[in-house]
Amino acid sequence: MPLYAAIIYSADVDWSLPEYADETKEYMAFAEGAAAVIRGGAALYPTATATTVTVKGGKGGDVVLSDGPYAETKEALTGFYLLECADLDEAIRHAAAIPGAWNGAIEVRPVLPLMS
Amino acid sequence: MTTGDTTPSGGSVTSSAPLRSADLALAEFLRGEGRRVVATLTRQLGDLALAEDAVQDASLRALEVWARDGVPENPGAWLFVAAKRRAIDILRRERSRFDKERQATIMSALTAPDDAPHDLEDDQLRLIFTCCHPALSTEAQVALSLRVLCGLTVAEVARSLLASEQTMAKRLTRARTKIAKAGIPYVVPRPDELPERVDGVTTTVYLLFSEGYASLSDGPALRSALADEAIRLGRLLTVLLPGSPAVEGLLATMLLQHSRRASRFDANGDVVLLADQDRALWNTALINEGLALAAAAITHSPRHPERFAVTAAIAGCHALAADPAETDWPAILRWYDVLATIDPNPVVKLNRAAALAESGSPGEALADVDALVGLDSYFWFHATRAELLARRGAAADASVAAQRALELTDSEPQRRLLRRRYPPVPGATSSEVPL
């Protein structure tokens, strides 16, 4: 069955802080409900902790670091799930149940199967 | 821009042409058969792109063989078998296009005991929902529908949507890739998902209809065939969703508008305005069917009428008037008010203003039109303004507005109408500041 990444873009939150306990609970409830299709995923620390790495001048060139996420947007990449679903419709049904869908947006992308 | 070009692919035959060559007739017949075979083969293979490629190749082969040996007794079955063979060839040749697992699945579907085309309506309904999946852009939905559901060639789709063939080929490829890689399913959605899907499907089918309807006279025959195709799809949807006000309203709207088909242009191909149309030419059977469906659509959505139930009601008001003076403009105006609450966009307001003018308030209507924003590149905005200005005796202003409308249409009959009705006035130039 195909694998989908459900990438969560929402307000830049710090999941480690107690004030987000309620929202974290909602995510845990989602994870429980969708346990049958979740194959992986993670919550991310806020964008303030991000470092962007670029290699200038092509492969083997200079490593350039900058502070912050790659794209400065109102809605940050805050986490993702890997969902194994029969088709896009099923993936969309699950994505719509992720709390980020009403606090932000979920990008659903098919995962390229790795050659074995 | 595209209306005058003629190619041997079948697009250039006007409905008034006395004879069609056997080849064109065969090609057109094949288009219909091919469309059904694509639907069935897609269900079997689970791969729209492969099914399309295989059927296209098989159609070319059929054109050769049938022209030589005659059309077989069961052309659908012939084409189906030929397309299956072709799909096997493609699978063997283009290994890189499919991963091993997928190739094995498709191959076993292809070599499984044959099921001849059956349950065609179901297969086509599945395809409608695949092509009109909300995960695809509207442009992609329309292009795919023209290609897959109506069986147009890529060149014809491009011509219909006023895009270059290259652009259209890319757009179609992107859409097919998304269907395949993102796993857009080839199914009729579950009942609980239908309401949200029906909206996109009905909108797309109506866009197809409009595409054909807008150019019945000066466009190639294939565009007028689009209106028929859209109606066919609308009928299919009523099979799936009996009692759905959106679908009933959609079909009613199309039937009622289509009922005027024979009267919309005169023998010279000139536009005949609604008020001047010979109502004896209106198709009574389509009107009766449309009115019954419009009534059902309104009945089935009493409190919050569906958008298409309302457009059907408006088309019904026109159809019910035996002569123009009998048209119930106040009723039409009220329906536009309802429509504006469902779909508050400037085009609806423009149409409302036109109804207001006909109801006896042309001055108020002109003020309403002038207050609209965002329609400067919309043909009907300037055409409506020209008419309202002309009625107030402002011939020079009307001529300027008509000039702007002229720049925005490719339809020769529309252009002739504008030039005839709003002749240039000395001193009037189109240097008017756009709104």
Side-chain angles (χ1 to χ4, degrees):
Chain A
M1 283 220 292
L3 209 53
Y4 294 88
I7 305 154
I8 305 160
Y9 292 91
S10 61
D12 198 9
V13 297
D14 188 344
W15 300 112
S16 58
L17 296 179
E19 51 259 50
Y20 293 109
D22 283 352
E23 205 173 337
T24 307
K25 258 185 219 151
E26 284 196 315
Y27 271 95
M28 286 164 77
F30 163 75
E32 216 168 284
V37 302
I38 293 177
R39 295 288 170 272
L44 303 176
Y45 278 107
T47 53
T49 65
T51 305
T52 301
V53 183
T54 324
V55 175
K56 280 268 189 265
K59 191 175 174 186
D62 295 339
V63 177
V64 178
L65 302 184
S66 61
D67 181 33
Y70 177 58
E72 285 287 355
T73 52
K74 199 170 118 253
E75 304 200 308
L77 173 55
T78 51
F80 66 91
Y81 290 100
L82 283 174
L83 309 174
E84 188 177 6
C85 299
D87 55 40
L88 183 63
D89 281 353
E90 194 192 344
I92 289 172
R93 279 198 292 279
H94 288 296
I98 299 175
W102 55 88
N103 292 329
I106 314 293
E107 183 179 319
V108 177
R109 290 261 288 272
V111 173
L112 183 70
L114 291 176
M115 302 297 165
S116 49
Chain B
M1 156 182 9
T2 59
T3 48
D5 81 7
T6 51
T7 68
S9 62
S12 64
V13 185
T14 62
S15 42
S16 59
L19 278 176
R20 289 177 181 187
S21 78
D23 276 1
L24 282 177
L26 198 55
E28 197 159 297
F29 176 67
L30 261 169
R31 172 182 289 164
E33 291 295 322
R35 196 176 58 210
R36 293 187 241 309
V37 173
V38 166
T40 306
L41 206 55
T42 307
R43 171 173 50 77
Q44 237 187 354
L45 308 181
D47 188 317
L48 174 63
L50 176 60
E52 273 193 277
D53 289 349
V55 172
Q56 182 160 352
D57 290 353
S59 296
L60 290 175
R61 177 102 185 100
L63 210 50
E64 252 171 61
V65 176
W66 297 4
R68 192 186 62 215
D69 304 343
V71 176
E73 206 170 296
N74 188 343
W78 190 102
L79 202 60
F80 189 66
V81 171
K84 272 184 129 179
R85 283 196 196 122
R86 190 58 205 135
I88 292 173
D89 287 348
I90 295 173
L91 271 172
R92 287 194 181 129
R93 199 163 307 163
E94 299 182 30
R95 286 179 197 279
S96 60
R97 188 167 140 187
F98 310 90
D99 57 68
K100 268 188 202 146
E101 195 186 341
R102 192 163 169 71
Q103 191 171 14
T105 312
I106 298 174
M107 201 57 108
S108 76
L110 277 170
T111 48
D114 202 14
D115 64 289
H118 77 288
D119 223 356
L120 284 172
E121 293 208 333
D122 272 8
D123 287 339
Q124 297 224 16
L125 279 171
R126 288 194 193 95
L127 259 194
I128 292 179
F129 282 97
T130 304
C131 293
C132 302
H133 197 282
L136 297 166
S137 72
T138 307
E139 293 83 19
Q141 291 182 30
V142 173
L144 261 187
S145 299
L146 289 174
R147 177 76 189 92
V148 179
L149 300 173
C150 302
L152 266 58
T153 63
V154 177
E156 288 166 344
V157 175
R159 224 180 310 153
S160 244
L161 299 178
L162 303 179
S164 76
E165 194 172 336
Q166 205 183 6
T167 307
M168 197 47 68
K170 271 189 204 148
R171 187 182 295 171
L172 284 166
T173 303
R174 217 167 30 231
R176 285 199 199 91
T177 305
K178 177 151 185 187
I179 290 175
K181 302 297 183 211
I184 290 179
Y186 178 57
V187 293
V188 171
R190 308 189 317 187
D192 62 311
E193 286 169 332
L194 268 176
E196 57 181 289
R197 295 290 167 88
V198 163
D199 209 34
V201 168
T202 50
T203 302
T204 303
V205 171
Y206 190 67
L207 282 172
L208 296 185
F209 176 79
S210 306
E211 198 52 49
Y213 186 75
S215 55
L216 282 186
S217 154
D218 61 337
L222 83 92
R223 298 188 103 190
S224 85
L226 286 186
D228 294 327
E229 277 297 314
I231 288 174
R232 182 184 67 86
L233 296 175
R235 289 191 194 283
L236 271 179
L237 287 173
T238 61
V239 175
L240 173 71
L241 296 157
S244 154
V247 170
E248 288 167 339
L250 166 73
L251 184 55
T253 303
M254 295 192 295
L255 292 174
L256 289 166
Q257 291 181 357
H258 208 50
S259 72
R260 302 198 286 270
R261 175 183 189 162
S263 64
R264 292 174 59 226
F265 297 93
D266 65 15
N268 301 323
D270 279 326
V271 176
V272 182
L273 295 174
L274 185 57
D276 304 326
Q277 287 176 11
D278 178 359
R279 296 182 183 223
L281 294 175
W282 288 6
N283 185 324
T284 325
L286 290 186
I287 290 177
N288 289 338
E289 191 187 354
L291 287 175
L293 280 162
I298 296 289
T299 313
H300 289 142
S301 61
R303 275 187 215 146
H304 305 285
E306 283 287 340
R307 181 164 50 110
F308 283 119
V310 179
T311 56
I314 292 167
C317 288
H318 288 299
L320 281 168
D323 80 87
E326 272 181 36
T327 307
D328 190 348
W329 287 107
I332 292 174
L333 190 59
R334 285 196 299 276
W335 282 118
Y336 272 117
D337 285 334
V338 175
L339 194 57
T341 63
I342 303 168
D343 186 11
N345 78 62
V347 172
V348 171
K349 289 177 188 158
L350 178 70
N351 289 325
R352 182 195 179 275
L356 184 63
E358 298 294 343
S359 312
S361 310
E364 205 183 317
L366 183 59
D368 285 359
V369 169
D370 282 341
L372 293 173
V373 284
L375 294 184
D376 192 50
S377 54
Y378 185 56
F379 167 79
W380 289 108
F381 171 73
H382 298 284
T384 307
R385 272 194 87 229
E387 178 61 22
L388 294 177
L389 287 163
R391 288 191 192 183
R392 305 201 82 196
D397 290 344
S399 160
V400 172
Q403 186 57 41
R404 185 79 181 97
L406 272 173
E407 291 160 13
L408 293 168
T409 179
D410 289 321
S411 161
E412 267 315 309
Q414 285 291 3
R415 300 171 76 95
R416 289 199 296 272
L417 176 75
L418 288 165
R419 291 203 186 98
R420 196 169 66 232
R421 267 179 100 80
Y422 319 105
V425 172
T429 63
S430 55
S431 62
E432 188 191 42
V433 179
L435 290 171

